[in-house]
Amino acid sequence: MGKTTVSNMFRDLGVPVWCADNEVNELYNIEGAATKIFSIEFPSVVTKKGVDKKNLRNLIHKDNAILKKVERIVHPLLEHSKVDFIRSNRHLPLIVFDIPLLFEKQQERNFDAVLVVTASELTQKKRVLRRKNMKEQDFQLIKRNQMNEQEKIKKADFLINTDKSLLETKQDVLQIYQKIKGLLI
């Protein structure tokens, strides 16, 4: 979709960003809280470096029920991190959360406004398949676990379509940033 790119554009404007994917990476490193639990629950996915996401994805492909178990482990840890981020930035007028499955996990009601970053299905597929260790079946798994794009768009307070140039996307981010700042005054 371009969520990370858009999040980084907000960072460039001085807005603190909490990124769920980055937090998961921390939880999955060798000293991460999730790694300690996974070493007991799913030892085949833990290596000397931490949780091997490719092995974890393969495990989920074989048995989608494992995804629910993983979520029961990871989501409370992410929630704790999110609360800490809010506390440490409570003095600021604007903070951003980059959360891939916001609507799917019914978290949108926890935020003052929701920005949906979207792109055509073709663009999404190209971007996913360019990532290291991602295959067609991984893209299909991602899509299967996501809400329909049109439903997300209907729920959005703000929308950025990233099927355009980086400069145009940056202008969209700046417009939204200025609009939100104007609402805060």
Side-chain angles (χ1 to χ4, degrees):
M1 297 292 186
K3 288 185 307 303
T4 300
T5 299
V6 168
S7 291
N8 287 334
M9 290 175 180
F10 275 101
R11 266 193 196 96
D12 291 344
L13 293 168
V15 178
V17 176
W18 182 90
C19 177
D21 290 340
N22 292 347
E23 294 301 317
V24 167
N25 289 337
E26 287 294 316
L27 293 171
Y28 284 8
N29 75 32
I30 192 61
E31 296 297 322
T35 302
K36 290 177 173 89
I37 300 168
F38 281 29
S39 66
I40 297 165
E41 296 291 324
F42 311 108
S44 66
V45 304
V46 178
T47 69
K48 293 177 183 175
K49 294 182 179 179
V51 175
D52 182 315
K53 288 183 180 182
K54 182 180 177 187
N55 289 345
L56 183 57
R57 266 196 313 274
N58 290 339
L59 200 60
I60 292 168
H61 283 306
K62 291 177 189 170
D63 182 359
N64 204 44
I66 289 174
L67 179 61
K68 297 292 180 207
K69 292 178 184 177
V70 168
E71 289 174 344
R72 281 195 301 273
I73 295 166
V74 173
H75 287 180
L77 298 170
L78 287 174
E79 187 62 29
H80 179 73
S81 169
K82 198 168 42 172
V83 168
D84 285 348
F85 177 80
I86 292 168
R87 278 190 195 123
S88 64
N89 291 289
R90 68 178 170 263
H91 62 285
L92 298 173
L94 176 63
I95 56 177
V96 169
F97 293 85
D98 180 342
I99 303 175
L101 297 172
L102 182 79
F103 293 117
E104 292 81 355
K105 303 300 176 191
Q106 291 85 41
Q107 291 187 30
E108 70 274 14
R109 64 184 170 267
N110 298 328
F111 300 94
D112 296 325
V114 174
L115 163 64
V116 170
V117 178
T118 188
S120 68
E121 181 137 355
L122 179 62
T123 299
Q124 291 175 40
K125 187 173 183 177
K126 284 180 185 177
R127 289 175 181 167
V128 167
L129 296 179
R130 277 194 307 237
R131 294 180 196 160
K132 184 180 174 185
N133 297 323
M134 293 298 262
K135 296 180 173 53
E136 173 75 26
Q137 74 180 56
D138 299 318
F139 176 72
Q140 295 307 324
L141 178 66
I142 290 168
K143 292 304 286 182
R144 187 171 64 235
N145 289 309
Q146 288 182 346
M147 177 185 286
N148 172 291
E149 198 67 19
Q150 293 308 312
E151 290 300 313
K152 290 182 193 178
I153 290 169
K154 285 180 194 173
K155 293 177 171 232
D157 297 297
F158 301 97
L159 181 69
I160 292 179
N161 186 313
T162 60
D163 275 324
K164 46 186 140 185
S165 74
L166 281 174
L167 181 60
E168 291 170 304
T169 301
K170 191 176 264 189
Q171 289 170 338
D172 289 346
V173 168
L174 187 56
Q175 283 180 335
I176 291 170
Y177 172 76
Q178 289 172 336
K179 184 173 185 173
I180 291 171
K181 275 185 65 177
L183 293 172
L184 296 174
I185 296 175

